[in-house]
Amino acid sequence: MTVDRSWTYDRYEPDRERLVESLCTLGNGRFATRGSAPECTAGPVHYPGTYLAGCYDRRTSLVAGRRVENEDLVNLPNWTLLRYRCLPDDGPPGDWLTPDSDDLRHSDVHLDLRGGVLNRHLFYRDAQGRGLRVGHIRIVHMGDAGLAAQCTMFRAYGWSGSVEVESVLDGAVVNAGVERYRHLEGRHLTDRRSGFEPGGVAWLTCRTDDPGRRIAMAVRTVTRPVRPARQDANRTGTVQIYRLPVRPGRSATVVKTLALRTSVDRPAGDPLAAACDAAANAPAFPRLVTTHKAAWQRLWEQGELHVPGEAGHILRLHLFHLLQTLSPHTAELDVGVPARGLHGEAYRGHVFWDELFVLPYLSLHFPEVARALLMYRHRRLPAAREAARRAGGVGARYPWQSASSGREETQELHLNPRSGRWLPDFSRLQRHVNSAVAYNVWRYAQTTGDRGFLHSAGAEVLLEIARNWAGSATYDSALGRYRIRGVVGPDEYHDAYPDASMPGIDDNAYTNATTAWVLARGLDVLEELPEGRRAELSEQLALDDEELARWEDVSRRLYVPFHRGLVSQFEGYGDLAELDWEGYRARYGDIRRLDRILEAEGDTVNRYQASKQADTLMLGYLFRPEELYALFARLGYPLDDEIWRATVAYHLSRTSHGSTLSSLVHGWILARQQGADAWRHCQEALLADVADVQGGTTGEGIHLGAMAGTIDLVERGITGMEAGPGELRVAPVALAELPRFAFTLCVQGHRGVRVRVLPGRLAVRVPASPGSPLTVVLPGERRVTVAPGEERWFRL
Ligand code: BGC
């Protein structure tokens, strides 16, 4: 199988530069730097950005006459900035050169996915025929998560003289990467100071206010040939100016090596002293590249996925960005899954429910990273308890958008760019995020076999969520069932009934069904806890038999609305008006953001049977058909293939796919159902970022859920793979467009299990060490044991 291991843009196009910057971001799970041109500062075309995982700052802004608070992932000083111009011996100084200069003749960007190296080549020629070739090589070190480096080479053609270079550490940055947020306060860095240390080290310190964190960046600049620098430092940064002689056949290089330290690093210490030391003592560039590539090599071995062809090419890019956002370094940090990666400022770096699409992959390849991300939730259990209490409830209520403290960070107003109006934002009513957290805890433990986690932090999270759900359900005697009212489902379009004075809809099928599942799992966890631990936890959480009896009752009698014999999206959904889909498509073309279109027309999407993304159908993503039918049977509702297929067809035809998660989920469900359109949806999910299908949003940050989800779609979706205690279940479905692929995973403590899929066949190889066999369960409950060191092929 051949896989293209690079990602290339072979010319400079200002209009797509922000997309290139996002997709060429380099990161190591601790921090990331957008793939911006080193020559440029922020402007309409370019947007350099460096983001440190979990580094947020809260500010107050005045928007539409209201004071609103926003916690943003902070854009850190730009360490990559490098300005240059030619000083020919036989003429006046040239202009400062950038990809936007008239003299640019060629520019390409080449991202080496295997080694994690970004290359940019530029060639300029002026009116006198003097040429300058410039090559930049950048890494963000995957081995030492505090380091990054950039090497720039200059080569002269047809002239002699020198290149004047300004190596800048630019602290005059703000958060301004998303046009829609332009009214929000974007100045986050205060108390900036800068200076120099011997050995060409420039430094800059600054801090965020709330939560307060000191940040220190030190950049060592080394030139070949060695030349002294003129240096200048002011409040917002440093500049080191060099004149490097060049002539045909003799090139010059500049290497910038960054060390990044903060006041929350471990071990604790003075971030500035630590950054300066690390920059001064960092190895030379070639050595840094070698060790960086070696670290990537180890990651690829653990995360390897081989899919031939164009799909494989894109999947590799997805995996690359996933591992740059969430790497083994992340396991050392207290951070969640940022929906848009560390690649831009969209959604302000917040953590939503998207980990639901990310954790399955991590649990199977990097279980310690998955566990750390769940611990992010566990550490915020007190905040979730407080949120539940404030809402008059019990247990824990996780926020729809989370950042540093774990409090609710969802904006209160959002801008419709089409109408220019600021609108109330009720997306915080998406309480289903609670079920996602509980689901992730349970699935992680099932996949990895990490009972230690499940019985400690995991149980606390899951039980407190279950308690919150049981407390939120109200009994409706007319229905003879429990209801959960005033919520928003995954489909954010419906945040109220038409003409209602209160936000929220009632009995979202997804919310209620997942609630029933969480309650049942809560009871299961208590059941499986060792005796002593169960008593301890029951006492700690003050859980008594009466409360558990209520969980049991609610888990069996929650209401799930149906209409036309199908699972509804929420109570009353079937009574809403039908939208003229064809008419809207004909009028607007792209109607993914139907909510904005209708609002701008003075209408509201709340009136229509029209969804932004998979909502009811998310149930088919989380649960295999048998599991789903069993869940419904427990609730006393008949559900079978026929009803479910009709439910899928009904909702799918009423969805505008205004989220990248939508095509992913539909692709998954249809692939599992062998549905005709499966590949079209899978392909849309694959193209979500590389073709920027949501119209310009990728430049503001990648869609991490869709990226991780597509990898998982191949690995778990197509193989039907599920890891359980001591065994690996497989139930492959054929997806003609992806007939062959292979990957390596870590299942129940077996590291390096290799799965290969060929048309009609599947192989499992168990590594020779640690030496225990693995049971593979095939469709029809055929159980086969694969011995250590053995590879077994199965006909399907
Ligand atoms: C989607 C949410 C998602 C969020 C962050 C929104 O557009 O509707 O489901 O969690 O983006 O990715």
Side-chain angles (χ1 to χ4, degrees), residues 339 347 352-354 400 492 612-613 659 661:
Y347 293 139
F352 296 63
W353 70 326
D354 301 48
W400 171 240
E492 301 184 321
K612 178 181 181 189
Q613 66 199 90
S659 159
L661 298 173

Side-chain angles (χ1 to χ4, degrees), residues 139 141 220 281-294:
I139 59 168
H141 206 282
R220 181 185 73 194
N281 296 322
F285 190 72
R287 177 83 196 132
L288 279 177
V289 172
T290 306
T291 51
H292 166 70
K293 285 185 169 176

Side-chain angles (χ1 to χ4, degrees), residues 338-340 347 350-355 357 400-401 427 430 432 489-493 593 612-614 658-662 694 702-706:
R340 305 301 287 273
Y347 293 139
H350 291 175
V351 176
F352 296 63
W353 70 326
D354 301 48
E355 63 211 51
F357 304 90
W400 171 240
Q401 294 188 27
S427 57
Q430 287 185 74
H432 63 84
D491 159 34
E492 301 184 321
Y493 281 179
R593 291 312 301 261
K612 178 181 181 189
Q613 66 199 90
S659 159
T660 54
L661 298 173
S662 194
Q694 298 284 340
I702 56 163
H703 297 84
L704 193 65

Side-chain angles (χ1 to χ4, degrees), residues 481-786:
R481 284 189 172 270
Y482 291 93
R483 311 185 62 179
I484 298 178
R485 314 184 75 158
V487 301
V488 170
D491 159 34
E492 301 184 321
Y493 281 179
H494 291 92
D495 62 3
Y497 286 101
D499 306 321
S501 56
M502 294 284 285
I505 46 90
D506 299 334
D507 301 306
N508 171 247
Y510 173 79
T511 303
N512 288 12
T514 54
T515 295
W517 184 90
V518 170
L519 289 168
R521 293 298 79 74
L523 294 167
D524 287 350
V525 167
L526 281 168
E527 199 59 39
E528 75 160 68
L529 284 178
E531 190 69 20
R533 178 64 186 142
R534 183 186 166 147
E536 186 186 40
L537 206 54
S538 301
E539 194 185 318
Q540 181 193 331
L541 304 180
L543 277 174
D544 58 25
D545 288 348
E546 197 186 325
E547 186 170 358
L548 299 183
R550 182 177 161 92
W551 292 17
E552 175 77 32
D553 194 36
V554 177
S555 79
R556 292 183 182 276
R557 289 206 288 154
L558 260 164
Y559 173 55
V560 178
F562 280 66
H563 74 275
R564 296 195 206 167
L566 313 169
V567 187
S568 248
Q569 187 167 304
F570 53 81
E571 178 68 355
Y573 187 80
D575 301 332
L576 300 179
E578 289 282 11
L579 184 88
D580 172 14
W581 290 91
E582 283 321 307
Y584 271 88
R585 283 203 179 96
R587 202 159 348 138
Y588 289 98
D590 183 350
I591 57 164
R592 285 190 181 85
R593 291 312 301 261
L594 192 58
D595 56 333
R596 292 179 178 165
I597 292 176
L598 288 166
E599 194 276 332
E601 285 183 347
D603 200 347
T604 165
V605 73
N606 272 326
R607 293 205 312 118
Y608 300 97
Q609 294 180 43
S611 303
K612 178 181 181 189
Q613 66 199 90
D615 187 306
T616 304
L617 302 192
M618 272 298 298
L619 293 170
Y621 173 74
L622 295 189
F623 306 113
R624 282 180 287 120
E626 319 81 77
E627 280 180 300
L628 184 60
Y629 306 161
L631 178 63
F632 271 62
R634 187 187 156 99
L635 284 164
Y637 294 108
L639 185 62
D640 56 23
D641 279 348
E642 197 184 330
I643 302 175
W644 183 243
R645 276 178 186 274
T647 300
V648 171
Y650 168 84
H651 288 291
L652 184 50
S653 64
R654 287 165 180 77
T655 302
S656 77
H657 308 295
S659 159
T660 54
L661 298 173
S662 194
S663 43
L664 167 71
V665 172
H666 290 112
W668 179 290
I669 295 170
L670 292 176
R672 297 293 303 160
Q673 268 188 2
Q674 301 278 276
D677 271 350
W679 182 244
R680 191 166 61 73
H681 290 281
C682 294
Q683 213 174 16
E684 168 130 349
L686 280 172
L687 294 178
D689 274 325
V690 301
D692 202 2
V693 297
Q694 298 284 340
T697 59
T698 301
E700 303 166 344
I702 56 163
H703 297 84
L704 193 65
M707 282 197 170
T710 49
I711 304 162
D712 191 44
L713 166 69
V714 175
E715 293 192 358
R716 281 194 320 128
I718 299 179
T719 62
M721 190 176 72
E722 202 170 297
E727 61 184 35
L728 185 68
R729 288 183 171 267
V730 289
V733 289
L735 186 60
E737 291 82 358
L738 289 180
R740 59 190 75 223
F741 55 90
F743 57 94
T744 306
L745 68 152
C746 167
V747 47
Q748 301 269 322
H750 289 79
R751 282 193 188 263
V753 172
R754 182 135 177 98
V755 177
R756 284 201 280 165
V757 173
L758 293 178
R761 294 194 301 154
L762 178 145
V764 175
R765 192 187 69 206
V766 174
S769 85
S772 49
L774 180 69
T775 303
V776 177
V777 186
L778 296 155
E781 290 300 302
R782 270 191 299 151
R783 307 176 88 81
V784 183
T785 302
V786 185

Side-chain angles (χ1 to χ4, degrees), residues 209-333:
D209 252 5
D210 181 12
R213 182 188 293 212
R214 181 153 283 284
I215 297 149
M217 284 175 142
V219 172
R220 181 185 73 194
T221 302
V222 174
T223 64
R224 287 275 177 279
V226 176
R227 284 290 179 275
R230 278 190 289 131
Q231 341 195 97
D232 186 24
N234 60 32
R235 217 169 47 79
T236 57
T238 61
V239 57
Q240 291 158 295
I241 305 169
Y242 303 87
R243 281 198 177 178
L244 305 176
V246 287
R247 60 168 192 262
R250 181 174 166 194
S251 55
T253 59
V254 180
V255 176
K256 296 180 81 171
T257 305
L258 165 79
L260 171 58
R261 294 287 187 274
T262 80
S263 52
V264 302
D265 292 349
R266 286 173 293 182
D270 171 22
L272 177 58
C276 289
D277 264 13
N281 296 322
F285 190 72
R287 177 83 196 132
L288 279 177
V289 172
T290 306
T291 51
H292 166 70
K293 285 185 169 176
W296 262 109
Q297 173 69 24
R298 290 192 290 278
L299 279 193
W300 285 124
E301 279 162 17
Q302 225 173 311
E304 194 65 86
L305 167 67
H306 283 283
V307 179
E310 187 53 17
H313 189 204
I314 297 172
L315 284 165
R316 178 157 284 257
L317 181 78
H318 287 183
L319 187 46
F320 179 72
H321 285 303
L322 172 60
L323 296 178
Q324 295 201 106
T325 311
L326 303 166
S327 79
H329 297 295
T330 314
E332 306 294 317
L333 309 173

